Amino acid sequence: ATDSARYAHLTASLFLFYLVANSLTGGVKSVTAGQRLILNTAFPRIMLPISAVVIAIFKFLPTLVVFVVIKAIVGSPFTIQMLWAIPVLLITIFLSLAVAITISCINVYFRDIASFLPYLTRTFLYLSPVLYEASELDPKLRVLEIVNPLFPILDSWSSALVHGEMPQISSMLQGLAWAVGIFFIGTYFFLSREREFAVRL
């Protein structure tokens, strides 16, 4: 990839990566930090991690403007295929919601996960196609794609936004499958345990 494409890829991927990372960071403590609220008010507890994701989305939106400016400056072409970024973004938001719900519930039981999270997100950053492009990856390392939910999503995002190409539907479906799986497991776990939260907090 040329330097300009690489720079566009790096910024686009980093911004999307931080949407998920900020959802995780906000989500992890959303339940434990909402202790007083949980003990004194009756409301669906799941609103706590959801609100963390909404905040992450609002932080993310201005970065899209920054990316468009960068893309224009480096002379990367704008094409209609870039609209494929919209379904990719929706899948990412769904995944962000899934991981925020799951981790907020885990944190009620294992408080140390909040301190461990920065290392986890950093590890995911290196294992995801952010600092490099998925196409540059050694075929032996493609196993990362199977075990990392962010891999197919970031690859599709870069295809659409940076290269102006239609992403592989298989990659998008893979990302969606991860999001759906984590969402159902996490939400089930959350809803079945939420009565215990007051006791644990």
Side-chain angles (χ1 to χ4, degrees):
T2 60
D3 285 346
S4 59
R6 179 162 286 152
Y7 187 64
H9 165 80
L10 180 68
T11 47
S13 306
L14 259 183
F15 290 157
L16 193 70
F17 178 84
Y18 275 107
L19 169 61
V20 183
N22 289 337
S23 301
L24 267 175
T25 320
V28 70
K29 287 188 171 158
S30 60
V31 175
T32 46
Q35 190 174 356
R36 217 174 259 151
L37 205 57
I38 286 178
L39 299 177
N40 301 328
T41 340
F43 71 100
R45 314 280 187 253
I46 206 156
M47 294 309 290
L48 293 165
I50 290 174
S51 61
V53 177
V54 171
I55 292 168
I57 293 168
F58 277 110
K59 280 187 186 166
F60 168 76
L61 291 174
T63 65
L64 282 177
V65 181
V66 175
F67 172 73
V68 167
V69 171
I70 289 172
K71 190 171 166 69
I73 291 171
V74 299
S76 176
F78 287 85
T79 68
I80 193 79
Q81 309 296 32
M82 285 174 69
L83 293 175
W84 278 99
I86 297 170
V88 177
L89 178 58
L90 294 175
I91 293 171
T92 312
I93 290 172
F94 188 34
L95 178 70
S96 301
L97 191 60
V99 292
I101 291 169
T102 309
I103 203 159
S104 68
C105 190
I106 294 172
N107 188 51
V108 173
Y109 296 91
F110 307 100
R111 296 295 166 93
D112 295 343
I113 197 162
S115 352
F116 174 65
L117 197 58
Y119 302 103
L120 187 69
T121 43
R122 200 164 304 143
T123 308
F124 263 108
L125 179 64
Y126 296 129
L127 295 179
S128 302
V130 172
L131 307 172
Y132 52 88
E133 293 204 30
S135 53
E136 296 169 5
L137 201 58
D138 186 321
K140 293 191 201 77
L141 295 173
R142 291 299 273 201
V143 67
L144 292 178
E145 197 173 347
I146 303 161
V147 296
N148 178 356
L150 282 173
F151 200 103
I153 291 176
L154 285 161
D155 188 18
S156 305
W157 179 250
S158 181
S159 297
L161 269 195
V162 180
H163 301 290
E165 296 162 0
M166 176 184 164
Q168 287 181 316
I169 297 294
S170 58
S171 293
M172 290 168 70
L173 288 176
Q174 207 178 330
L176 184 62
W178 270 109
V180 171
I182 297 170
F183 181 79
F184 279 112
I185 294 167
T187 308
Y188 170 76
F189 190 44
F190 193 103
L191 297 176
S192 61
R193 301 284 171 155
E194 69 176 333
R195 291 187 177 181
E196 273 183 38
F197 288 174
V199 186
R200 296 251 171 196
L201 292 173

